[in-house]
Amino acid sequence: MLVSASFLSSNNPPEDLKKLNETDVDYIHVDIMDGKFVKNKTMPFSEMKNIYKFTDKRLDVHLMVEQPEKYIPLYAELNTEYITFHLETEDNIEENINLIKKYGIKAGLAIKPNTEVKELLPYLPLLDLILVMSVEPGMGGQKFIEETTKKLEELRELLKEYNIDAVINVDGGINSETKSKCNLSDIIVAGSYIVNADNFQERIDSLR
């Protein structure tokens, strides 16, 4: 299991990013919120772009924004492996997937807990990653939604049926207890479980 560490719940992002850089975590999960698609808002790109000063880990960027096309060119400048935006943005889905790929970056689509897996179907052949939200997007520290396990089963079956080689990522409420409910995923995102701990590496090890 690959682990992507979110610093959304961090009280001191520069320090925690340095500490994460000393671990063997696979990715840094970068949450971007515009205050429109979700209520909360994260720091602007003018600050976020400095992430390279604190970590050389590959980035797993999650855009919780209304207009992904405004953010994709910016985050394509960083050490980014995946850029994921939400299916619920509804407009220009295929165009935005292609825009991400134009920069040589892997493209992902995220779905909220109430969005059905089958709604991804038109875009599956274009995707490198599907991010299943196991909490409502926008805030760290939430409790894992149990129905997520069934959704992962449906998604895994769908990928198999259509012979799609995309990876499955799960984000929200992940810890050493809930990770077993995500066995059908390839990557799990953990935030507060890691960055609120004294020993980051121990927490990362407990998720694998």
Side-chain angles (χ1 to χ4, degrees):
M1 182 75 72
L2 299 180
V3 178
S4 188
S6 167
F7 58 97
L8 182 64
S9 301
S10 171
N11 294 318
N12 188 343
E15 195 58 38
D16 285 344
L17 284 167
K18 287 178 187 174
K19 287 167 70 176
L20 284 168
N21 201 52
E22 294 170 3
T23 71
D24 65 1
V25 76
D26 299 285
Y27 300 103
I28 301 296
H29 187 82
V30 183
D31 289 297
I32 309 301
M33 301 183 282
D34 62 358
K36 298 172 185 175
F37 185 78
V38 293
K39 289 181 182 178
N40 290 341
K41 194 171 185 178
T42 44
M43 66 181 83
F45 181 73
S46 58
E47 294 178 44
M48 196 72 85
K49 69 180 181 182
N50 292 316
I51 195 170
Y52 77 91
K53 295 178 181 178
F54 311 109
T55 181
D56 55 13
K57 298 281 187 186
R58 296 286 279 166
L59 306 181
D60 159 31
V61 176
H62 178 196
L63 300 177
M64 291 172 271
V65 300
E66 282 189 350
Q67 296 179 292
E69 63 274 11
K70 289 186 175 181
Y71 296 81
I72 290 165
L74 299 175
Y75 286 90
E77 295 177 14
L78 305 182
N79 186 25
T80 303
E81 180 145 348
Y82 294 101
I83 295 180
T84 300
F85 65 98
H86 273 263
L87 177 66
E88 297 86 4
T89 55
E90 296 181 356
D91 296 327
N92 307 317
I93 302 288
E94 190 166 338
E95 290 88 341
N96 286 328
I97 292 170
N98 290 331
L99 178 60
I100 294 168
K101 293 195 168 194
K102 189 183 90 171
Y103 289 100
I105 290 169
K106 295 171 185 173
L109 265 184
I111 53 172
K112 292 181 180 181
N114 290 333
T115 300
E116 293 189 32
V117 165
K118 65 182 180 183
E119 293 182 43
L120 288 162
L121 200 51
Y123 310 107
L124 282 184
L126 305 173
L127 297 175
D128 301 294
L129 177 145
I130 296 122
L131 176 59
V132 177
M133 293 301 299
S134 44
V135 298
E136 285 297 330
M139 190 181 299
Q142 297 182 68
K143 188 178 178 183
F144 183 87
I145 296 171
E146 297 291 330
E147 289 79 7
T148 305
T149 304
K150 185 172 183 295
K151 189 175 274 190
L152 292 174
E153 290 171 1
E154 290 176 26
L155 180 55
R156 186 57 75 189
E157 279 300 312
L158 207 59
L159 293 178
K160 186 178 178 182
E161 183 180 348
Y162 289 91
N163 198 26
I164 304 291
D165 197 26
V167 299
I168 299 175
N169 195 357
V170 185
D171 180 6
I174 306 290
N175 55 43
S176 58
E177 293 178 8
T178 56
K179 69 164 187 175
S180 62
K181 303 176 192 295
C182 304
N183 286 338
L184 291 175
S185 65
D186 303 288
I187 307 171
I188 51 177
V189 177
S192 53
Y193 177 69
I194 295 174
V195 300
N196 291 344
D198 292 327
N199 189 316
F200 288 8
Q201 187 63 60
E202 276 185 8
R203 288 291 172 95
I204 293 162
D205 290 341
S206 73
L207 294 171
R208 291 206 164 106

